[in-house]
Amino acid sequence: MTETTTVTGGIPAQPGSREGAYQRLAGSEEARVDAGERTGEPSGAAAGPDGPDEQGTQGGHDGYPGVIAGAGPVTRPGERATLRLRDGADGNHGGHDAHDDRPGGHDDGEEPARYAPEWLQLREPADAAARAADLLDPLRDRLAALPDREGGLVVHDLGCGTGSMGRWLAPRLDGAQHWVLHDRDPYLLHFAAVASPRSAADGSRVSVETRRGDVARLTPDALTGASLVTASALLDVLTREEIEALAAACAGAGCPALLTLSVAGRVELGPADPLDAELTEAFNAHQRRGGLLGPDAVTVACEAFAERGMTVRLHPSPWRLGPEHAALTAQWLRGWVGAAVEQRPELRERAERYLDERLAACAAGELEAVVQHSDLLALPRPSGGAS
């Protein structure tokens, strides 16, 4: 069942002893442990479905300790970090990620959250710098052509996490806006609501509504009245069927979609290392496991939106990580190498030496990384019954 909260000023407190937990997110060990308890994330990213790994590492990945829960691409076997965009056979259209149709998944409606707020906060500045601002002008033109409506634009943000997309985009758009934030984690939703912007680029009012759930019925009807659909780092953790469902829903509702920061499968590290290419290949294979599209997602999405009569614009949105991003780079490296080793265990010995050397260079300010992503803007035809 989907829970809805409308936020127009004050933020409703979360229940129980977790109330106010987000005020403690200061990067301390205490905060990281609290975040793991709060989100239900196992302390080890390689933990099984029943609990932490044997080492009990804080946010580790089976030999790669120190990874913040949810940092990077590491998943447990059988885990799907995705919104479920199609109806379930049991008719349950709210709830949580679609693990119930995979080995190792959960069907009790209360499976652990994947992303810790600390990871989402750590990556937010790099995300903001990477997003393709060149796509904003065509988006603004399309939104300006919409009929005026009371309350202004209605923006649905899928898998909103801590709300970074709203914080980036809302102040860059003119006019009143109402953001509908979708996520399955109530504490991420609380954080997103608390930290949401309250004014648009021209000073107009921005209001926020949170919906707990996984958008299991993302249909044109679900997007009735929507002016825009947004998401960050979503496409690469979807299947072909889910991307087609997303494209069909947006096209059917005449609703533009701005989908940012999809993994492109290319990484450039400086100085270069002979193992870079092998790890990249293994990581990309890991991202495609279980029918997920990984680095193929953007191509599939472009085709899906275009087949439904929408105009698609694509723009690179790379992370450019230098010495000033050392904390983010270190967390990303651990997750990236961990996923590669999970895919190809025979790489472990060489990968451990590689990771030690890379982390040392990172700490010394001697490592740079470019992690390629893509931003996609899909625009319906103006005469196609846009909402």
Side-chain angles (χ1 to χ4, degrees):
M1 181 184 231
T2 299
E3 300 174 8
T4 302
T5 303
T6 300
V7 179
T8 57
I11 307 301
Q14 294 298 315
S17 61
R18 294 168 175 174
E19 181 177 341
Y22 286 102
Q23 276 63 49
R24 299 197 297 274
L25 295 182
S28 65
E29 186 68 20
E30 178 183 358
R32 287 194 293 274
V33 172
D34 180 65
E37 295 172 349
R38 197 173 56 250
T39 63
E41 185 76 35
S43 62
D50 296 325
D53 60 356
E54 293 180 355
Q55 293 83 3
T57 55
Q58 175 60 37
H61 175 73
D62 190 22
Y64 301 98
V67 179
I68 294 174
V74 177
T75 58
R76 298 190 302 274
E79 179 178 348
R80 296 187 62 203
T82 177
L83 301 174
R84 184 161 50 141
L85 302 180
R86 57 182 178 272
D87 291 351
D90 59 0
N92 179 12
H93 304 297
H96 302 271
D97 282 0
H99 296 205
D100 53 296
D101 58 349
R102 309 174 74 79
H106 300 259
D107 57 8
D108 58 6
E110 289 296 335
E111 61 187 54
R114 170 176 166 79
Y115 295 111
E118 293 85 356
W119 167 245
L120 300 179
Q121 288 179 304
L122 186 61
R123 64 174 289 170
E124 184 167 347
D127 286 349
R131 286 192 179 97
D134 288 353
L135 296 178
L136 291 182
D137 281 344
L139 175 61
R140 291 186 187 105
D141 290 344
R142 180 64 183 85
L143 296 177
L146 294 176
D148 291 336
R149 73 176 73 188
E150 186 177 354
L153 302 174
V154 177
V155 184
H156 287 255
D157 189 16
L158 307 182
C160 68
T162 60
S164 65
M165 172 62 92
R167 287 189 290 276
W168 181 80
L169 183 58
R172 288 171 166 81
L173 298 177
D174 288 333
Q177 301 166 42
H178 180 70
W179 282 69
V180 184
L181 308 179
H182 299 264
D183 206 284
R184 66 188 175 94
D185 186 331
Y187 300 100
L188 291 183
L189 285 173
H190 180 61
F191 189 96
V194 169
S196 66
R198 290 296 186 260
S199 60
D202 60 358
S204 298
R205 180 172 176 270
V206 175
S207 59
V208 177
E209 173 185 339
T210 64
R211 292 187 185 177
R212 184 184 178 190
D214 286 329
V215 202
R217 283 181 173 175
L218 190 62
T219 64
D221 287 346
L223 296 178
T224 297
S227 309
L228 174 65
V229 166
T230 66
S232 290
L234 174 65
L235 292 179
D236 46 272
V237 293
L238 299 182
T239 65
R240 178 179 294 272
E241 292 77 14
E242 288 164 340
I243 285 180
E244 289 178 348
L246 172 61
C250 293
C255 181
L258 179 63
L259 308 171
T260 69
L261 299 168
S262 298
V263 169
R266 301 185 304 279
V267 173
E268 303 157 28
L269 290 161
D273 185 281
L275 199 54
D276 291 346
E278 204 167 353
L279 289 171
T280 298
E281 182 180 357
F283 167 77
N284 289 342
H286 184 278
Q287 295 303 91
R288 296 182 176 107
R289 299 202 308 187
L292 304 186
L293 288 172
D296 306 319
V298 171
T299 298
V300 171
C302 287
E303 294 171 351
F305 281 102
E307 286 170 358
R308 289 159 177 84
M310 300 182 75
T311 300
V312 180
R313 297 171 184 255
L314 200 61
H315 201 285
S317 53
W319 275 357
R320 299 187 184 277
L321 307 179
E324 69 276 20
H325 305 102
L328 174 60
T329 304
Q331 290 294 340
W332 169 79
L333 269 171
R334 291 186 178 101
W336 186 67
V337 172
V341 171
E342 186 174 287
Q343 180 68 24
R344 290 184 53 193
E346 70 274 14
L347 291 174
R348 177 174 298 279
E349 185 175 347
R350 287 187 293 153
E352 287 177 348
R353 289 195 299 269
Y354 172 97
L355 183 59
D356 287 343
E357 293 170 359
R358 287 302 200 190
L359 291 175
C362 181
E366 298 171 353
L367 182 67
E368 295 185 348
V370 178
V371 183
Q372 295 290 346
H373 302 92
S374 297
D375 285 8
L376 181 154
L377 175 64
L379 300 173
R381 293 172 182 167
S383 59
S387 58

